[in-house]
Amino acid sequence: MSHENSQVKPPINHRVLTLGITADALSPDDFPPGVATLEELVAMRERSWAALQATGIDGEAGYVSLDPDEAEAELRQLFDAHSYGVVLIGGGIKNVPEYTVLFERIVNVLIDLQPDIRLSFSSHPTNVPEALQRWLTKS
């Protein structure tokens, strides 16, 4: 599936931000399926980011705290230096019911920071490239 036929305008640029929760703020119960330790999570994130860069995608991997106020400040700081065309919000943020307020705050801060931002969502660190390509191929 893609957004190729959507009437939504394409991203303003191809710079991406992948957004997840700071690894040390997570408990093993929060890890994606198949990940048992913090070290495995960090390694999976690094492999996912390297695979993303290998496709030629430019951007940054960003991480925020679980506290919505801290996350907002961290997100605003990430946008101080850069504009992003697409922000990918990872499954660790959107899939955990206890993080609904965090997820809601992130979405609204992103819209506040850059009203023309395009949002993408992954369900696992391994499908980040495909999730981003849905918007990047739109432009």
Side-chain angles (χ1 to χ4, degrees):
M1 268 190 209
S2 76
H3 298 298
E4 188 176 317
N5 296 320
S6 172
Q7 292 184 28
V8 174
K9 294 177 184 173
I12 60 167
N13 64 48
H14 282 197
R15 186 162 173 75
V16 304
L17 173 65
T18 61
L19 196 60
I21 296 171
T22 305
D24 61 359
L26 298 171
S27 73
D29 293 338
D30 300 322
F31 295 167
V35 177
T37 67
L38 182 61
E39 292 76 19
E40 288 177 21
L41 176 64
V42 170
M44 178 179 284
R45 285 178 169 181
E46 288 172 356
R47 284 190 306 274
S48 178
W49 183 249
L52 189 63
Q53 289 181 305
T55 68
I57 291 176
D58 177 40
E60 185 173 346
Y63 299 98
V64 295
S65 303
L66 287 172
D67 178 86
D69 292 336
E70 290 176 18
E72 178 173 342
E74 293 159 345
L75 197 51
R76 289 184 182 282
Q77 188 172 28
L78 285 167
F79 274 75
D80 278 347
H82 299 288
S83 169
Y84 300 96
V86 180
V87 173
L88 178 125
I89 301 174
I93 294 172
K94 72 174 185 64
N95 293 343
V96 180
E98 294 81 13
Y99 301 158
T100 298
V101 172
L102 174 66
F103 178 52
E104 183 177 90
R105 177 81 67 92
I106 287 169
V107 168
N108 284 296
V109 169
L110 289 169
I111 292 167
D112 185 53
L113 288 168
Q114 192 173 312
D116 53 0
I117 195 78
R118 297 299 166 251
L119 302 177
S120 183
F121 303 95
S122 66
S123 57
H124 194 274
T126 57
N127 67 18
V128 167
E130 296 85 42
L132 283 167
Q133 286 299 335
R134 290 192 296 262
W135 278 112
L136 293 175
T137 57
K138 166 85 173 139
S139 47

